[in-house]
Amino acid sequence: MEPKVKSQVREWTESIIIAVVLALIIRTFLIQAFKIPSGSMIPTLEVGDRIFVSKVVYGPKIPFTDMRIPGFAKPARGDIIVFVSPEAPKKDFVKRLIALSGEKVEIKDSMIYIDGNPVKSPPSLAAVSYYNRGDYGKEGDRIEVPEDSYYVLGDNSASSRDSRYWGFVPAKNVIGKAVCIYWPLNRIRILR
């Protein structure tokens, strides 16, 4: 009877180890789940929403390095991205990407201007009223985004701590692109 018990214990142990290894690979290189803790992205994301973030789109980071495996796309204006906070490295933030490296961004008359032109596309950017706040979002300031960095804002401009306050997100801090809300059930949808 003992050999049968040992083989069952071994089977269970192997199954658990395989499941853990697969979960780590999926979370590290493919997709990760996040819970929205604040209202900085309302109405797009509400407090308590749970989202999936694709790491494959931009290319997942190789653990313990700043290197990335090549992805399918580069971050684009209007993408909702998750990144490691530049001011609190133990926190992950979710914001909308507004301006890319080398672009000059300005907030004027509640609108975003890139290189002096109002942003009308994607529609998700044109639909939000943005407020002048912080050191990097003052009225009349045109701020150039440094190389390998991004300027990000929350959709709830009145109560979002974002690039207007702490500056730019280094490209190496980007975790991935938010692709969908999977919980609660009544809010399931693809993010744009």
Side-chain angles (χ1 to χ4, degrees), residues 16-36:
I16 290 169
I17 290 170
I18 289 169
V20 167
V21 168
L22 283 173
L24 286 173
I25 289 170
I26 290 168
R27 185 178 189 271
T28 302
F29 296 105
L30 301 176
I31 198 159
Q32 186 174 347
F34 287 88
K35 182 179 179 185
I36 304 303

Side-chain angles (χ1 to χ4, degrees), residues 11-132:
E11 270 186 50
W12 276 99
T13 303
E14 287 175 353
S15 296
I16 290 169
I17 290 170
I18 289 169
V20 167
V21 168
L22 283 173
L24 286 173
I25 289 170
I26 290 168
R27 185 178 189 271
T28 302
F29 296 105
L30 301 176
I31 198 159
Q32 186 174 347
F34 287 88
K35 182 179 179 185
I36 304 303
S38 75
S40 70
M41 285 295 291
I42 290 174
T44 308
L45 298 171
E46 294 183 4
V47 176
D49 282 353
R50 294 177 188 266
I51 62 172
F52 280 129
V53 173
S54 171
K55 295 181 174 186
V56 176
V57 173
Y58 303 145
K61 283 179 78 170
I62 298 171
F64 312 110
T65 72
D66 283 336
M67 296 179 358
R68 286 187 183 276
I69 295 170
F72 299 107
K74 296 206 178 281
R77 185 177 347 279
D79 287 356
I80 299 171
I81 63 172
V82 174
F83 56 93
V84 176
S85 166
E87 66 176 3
K90 294 190 186 251
K91 289 186 175 182
D92 298 329
F93 282 3
V94 59
K95 305 287 181 205
R96 192 173 298 277
L97 196 152
I98 302 296
L100 307 166
S101 299
E103 294 181 329
K104 290 182 181 163
V105 63
E106 180 182 7
I107 302 169
K108 182 169 73 176
D109 302 324
S110 300
M111 291 180 58
I112 300 293
Y113 287 77
I114 302 293
D115 296 329
N117 301 311
V119 174
K120 296 181 179 172
S121 180
S124 53
L125 285 180
V128 175
S129 290
Y130 292 98
Y131 300 101
N132 296 97

Side-chain angles (χ1 to χ4, degrees), residues 46 48-51 180-189:
E46 294 183 4
D49 282 353
R50 294 177 188 266
I51 62 172
C180 71
I181 299 171
Y182 71 89
W183 190 262
L185 293 175
N186 64 331
R187 291 194 37 81
I188 291 175
R189 71 171 157 272

